[in-house]
Amino acid sequence: MARRTTFRLAGRAVGAFVAMLLLAACSIAAALLLDGLAASVVPLGVAVITAGFVAIAFMEVRKMDAVSAIFAGVAVCFLAVLFGLTFTDELTRAHIPAGFEARTGD
Amino acid sequence: MPEALHEPFHDIGKQRSAEEAGIWIFLASEVIFFGGLFLGYAVYRLRLPEGYGAAMAETNLTLGIVNTALLLASSATMAFTVWVGREGLQRATVTGLIATLALGTAFLAVKGVEYYEDIRHHLIPGHPDFPVDVPGAEMFFSFYWAMTGLHGLHMAIGLGIIAWTVHAVRSDRIAWRETAHLHVVGLYWNLVDVVWIFLFPLLYLVGR
């Protein structure tokens, strides 16, 4: 019985590993074969999918209790705020007009 | 057999829940910690895309792929350990932990080889013979060393915890069947894996 359980669970782990390996292969192929924006977006998209797979299959986030879920959710929210505020500034900041540096140097 | 239940808990379920909440608080702080590094990387990548692309061509893709495979395998063996641990299978649990230990150690060994190659090629920011003369290339390698170094440090700490857990499970030093110990170790190890899942495309693939 113990032996059968071990093999069943080992099979599950091997299946998950193969799935993640295939995702990594997709990521590498996309980065090397695609051009332009797709060569960046696809590998990062695959990384998000792989991380989600690890979170669900291995970290068992769907089974976590409410308190743990709040802590995990707060981390994701803070991360979103960190990136959101930084890129809101970074992508919308007006560039210093030409000649501005010369004027300030007077 | 060691006592599973500890003060102030009177219920093993509540104790397990508290153990898991504790590691999630820690993991949340780790997400913010690594998030800051990823953010810095992203901002400078946006400003200096040519330098980042030129610098990335210097990283060793083959060793990056090998390390990705090793770490994904270690994540699977760690998950296997948690699953068989729940079934109370001591031998399989120890086997899973040792496999994780071996794969994690192999990861660090490959990383060591890669670092040796990087140093040999003077891929160190500020080095007078730094080989890439494009603005932003040294910034890329600043993040490369910081991010992979801190990831490696987390790996080394994880390996230490796993090595101790092998001893503790084998000798029944802790109540590993009843408590959340294995799940807590697994959560830490899998987060370290998730960090690498994002580091790999950012340092070896995107813009190559």
Side-chain angles (χ1 to χ4, degrees):
Chain A
M1 186 64 184
R3 199 179 163 86
R4 180 184 281 185
T5 306
T6 303
F7 276 111
R8 181 174 56 79
L9 294 174
R12 198 165 123 193
V14 169
F17 170 60
V18 171
M20 290 191 296
L21 219 49
L22 287 173
L23 284 168
C26 289
S27 178
I28 295 160
L32 298 180
L33 301 176
L34 297 177
D35 290 322
L37 193 63
S40 301
V41 172
V42 174
L44 289 175
V46 172
V48 171
I49 293 167
T50 312
F53 181 83
V54 170
I56 291 167
F58 293 166
M59 299 173 85
E60 301 173 339
V61 292
R62 286 190 299 188
K63 293 180 189 169
M64 72 204 299
D65 59 30
V67 178
S68 299
I70 288 169
F71 294 133
V74 165
V76 174
C77 286
F78 278 167
L79 201 61
V81 169
L82 194 67
F83 273 79
L85 284 180
T86 304
F87 279 101
T88 300
D89 175 45
E90 188 65 27
L91 297 172
T92 59
R93 183 182 293 190
H95 291 284
I96 297 170
F100 179 79
E101 287 175 35
R103 282 204 301 276
T104 54
D106 290 342
Chain B
M1 273 302 237
E3 183 64 45
L5 197 61
H6 297 287
E7 288 289 339
F9 298 100
H10 302 289
D11 177 271
I12 194 72
K14 284 184 180 164
Q15 182 180 301
R16 284 182 63 93
S17 180
E19 287 168 338
E20 286 173 16
I23 188 67
W24 275 108
I25 292 171
F26 175 71
L27 296 186
S29 73
E30 290 286 273
V31 166
I32 303 300
F33 173 71
F34 276 105
L37 284 168
F38 280 106
L39 180 65
Y41 171 98
V43 167
Y44 282 103
R45 183 178 189 109
L46 193 74
R47 288 184 182 184
L48 306 159
E50 292 85 10
Y52 266 54
M56 188 180 284
E58 300 292 321
T59 57
N60 192 323
L61 180 59
T62 308
L63 293 183
I65 291 170
V66 170
N67 260 350
T68 301
L70 286 170
L71 207 56
L72 292 178
S74 81
S75 228
T77 55
M78 191 69 230
F80 168 77
T81 303
V82 175
W83 297 336
V84 291
R86 258 183 218 138
E87 302 290 332
L89 304 172
Q90 190 175 30
R91 200 170 157 185
T93 303
V94 170
T95 305
L97 285 168
I98 290 173
T100 309
L101 201 59
L103 290 161
T105 306
F107 175 96
L108 286 184
V110 171
K111 199 74 214 155
V113 171
E114 195 179 346
Y115 277 170
Y116 174 75
E117 289 290 315
D118 293 337
I119 292 167
R120 214 163 57 87
H121 292 116
H122 313 302
L123 292 166
I124 303 160
H127 195 286
D129 297 324
F130 189 79
V132 190
D133 190 23
V134 184
E138 291 187 79
M139 183 60 81
F140 173 88
F141 270 97
S142 294
F143 280 108
Y144 167 85
W145 287 103
M147 291 165 108
T148 59
L150 285 166
H151 178 261
L153 179 66
H154 280 77
M155 291 275 303
I157 292 167
L159 289 174
I161 294 167
I162 292 169
W164 181 83
T165 305
V166 170
H167 165 69
V169 171
R170 189 182 266 166
S171 59
D172 271 327
R173 197 186 161 98
I174 55 169
W176 56 275
R177 292 178 181 87
E178 297 85 3
T179 64
H181 181 88
L182 291 173
H183 187 47
V184 165
V185 175
L187 284 171
Y188 174 82
W189 191 257
N190 285 314
L191 186 87
V192 172
D193 183 33
V194 166
V195 170
W196 182 261
I197 285 169
F198 287 102
L199 282 181
F200 174 60
L202 291 175
L203 299 177
Y204 297 88
L205 293 179
V206 175
R208 199 175 184 92

